[in-house]
Structure formats: C-alpha cells, structure tokens
C-alpha cells in the first residue's frame, strides 16, 4: 500500500514547471505499480480543489483511496476564508468520501517550517487545528495524515 501518492501532480500530465515535457502517463504509472504488487494507493490532497479532484479521481478504481485536507504549505488559502466556507466544503467532501468508502484520512495536514516561503509559520499554526473540525464533523473515525518538516 502506498499511503502518500501525489497523483494529482502536474508531472503526471507531462508538465514540469509550466513546460510540457512528455505525454500524460498517469495510467501507465498506475498500471506499472499494480503490476508489480502494489495493492492500494492513497492519493493525498493538498487543498479543497485537490480534495474534490482526488475523490472524483479515486472513484474510477477500487484500489484508489484519498485524503481530504490542506497541506501546511497551502494554509494561506484559509486566510482568505472569512466565512468558514472553505472548511465547511472540506467537511462536505470528506463526508461524501466516507459514505462511498474512498476518503480514508484527513490531511495531509501538519507543519512545514522548512518551506515558509509558501505559508508562514503563524499561518500554519493558526490553521492546523482546523483539521480537527473535519475530524469531529466526519464522526471521529478518520485518522490524521500528518506532515512534519523543519
């Protein structure tokens, strides 16, 4: 089981730093992984859009599962949420995913003080606890997928 696959990354579409380098190869990567014995993959989501996309993507194959959450380097997105709508929508995605058996963890959440250029320390600390709202609202059944760097 691969518990931390970034399958939504643009590199699987052949895009590297805004430049197309090769044709999309995600299906080839998945086929190769499963052919050598990998049985399940958890696709990690880093924000609300990726959480939605991951849930939709994972519904296409019974061996694919996903997480719902905000990566520490993306927590600045929560600063723009003055109404609480962002977290509410994460909760809704998580609930939907729990019901269909595809969401298996909350995250990737935590702290990344090594890459503060993306989201500063105070923002990360401020929004880390928001993941506990998702935990509580989804019935306290999903584990946290924790990230820690620096």
């Amino acid at each position: 089981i691969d518990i931390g696959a970034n399958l939504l990354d643009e590199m699987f579409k052949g895009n590297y730093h805004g430049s197309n380098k090769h044709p999309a190869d995600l299906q080839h990567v998945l086929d190769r992984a499963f052919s050598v014995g990998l049985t399940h993959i958890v696709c990690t989501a880093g924000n609300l859009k990726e959480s939605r996309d991951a849930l939709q993507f994972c519904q296409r194959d019974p061996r694919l599962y996903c997480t719902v959450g905000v990566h520490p380097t993306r927590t600045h997105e929560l600063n723009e949420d003055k109404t609480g709508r962002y977290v509410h929508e994460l909760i809704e995605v998580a609930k939907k995913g729990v019901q269909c058996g595809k969401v298996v963890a909350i995250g990737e959440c935590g702290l990344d003080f090594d890459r503060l250029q993306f989201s500063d320390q105070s923002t990360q600390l401020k929004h880390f606890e928001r993941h506990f709202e998702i935990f509580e609202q989804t019935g306290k059944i999903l584990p946290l997928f924790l990230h820690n760097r620096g």
Side-chain angles (χ1 to χ4, degrees):
I1 297 174
D2 184 337
I3 65 158
N6 294 308
L7 299 177
L8 301 177
D9 195 291
E10 287 292 310
M11 70 179 164
F12 293 112
K13 296 176 186 172
N15 299 320
Y16 293 83
H17 306 290
S19 177
N20 192 280
K21 301 294 184 185
H22 61 79
D25 63 353
L26 178 56
Q27 190 58 53
H28 174 71
V29 169
L30 291 172
D31 292 343
R32 192 173 66 217
F34 291 131
S35 75
V36 296
L38 194 62
T39 59
H40 297 86
I41 300 175
V42 178
C43 176
T44 57
N47 64 10
L48 176 58
K49 180 185 181 323
E50 285 183 6
S51 294
R52 287 182 182 132
D53 292 348
L55 179 56
Q56 181 179 1
F57 172 75
C58 291
Q59 290 177 349
R60 72 186 219 177
D61 189 305
R63 300 167 293 185
L64 298 175
Y65 299 89
C66 65
T67 68
V68 169
V70 181
H71 189 278
T73 62
R74 314 283 266 300
T75 52
H76 62 277
E77 294 179 19
L78 289 161
N79 282 341
E80 301 160 15
D81 180 31
K82 304 299 183 206
T83 64
R85 187 86 192 135
Y86 194 106
V87 172
H88 174 76
E89 289 182 35
L90 280 170
I91 291 167
E92 292 306 309
V93 173
K95 285 180 177 179
K96 180 179 177 184
V98 167
Q99 286 176 342
C100 69
K102 287 296 182 177
V103 171
V104 295
I106 299 166
E108 178 175 355
C109 58
L111 302 171
D112 191 330
F113 295 165
D114 194 45
R115 299 191 297 170
L116 295 173
Q117 70 271 26
F118 298 111
S119 199
D120 64 52
Q121 185 173 342
S122 63
T123 299
Q124 291 183 40
L125 288 167
K126 175 182 174 184
H127 296 301
F128 174 68
E129 291 182 14
R130 311 278 308 266
H131 288 89
F132 296 110
E133 291 177 47
I134 303 169
F135 172 75
E136 294 209 1
Q137 294 296 316
T138 53
K140 301 179 183 179
I141 59 171
L142 296 173
L144 293 178
F145 184 113
L146 296 174
H147 174 98
N148 182 28
R149 181 179 314 168

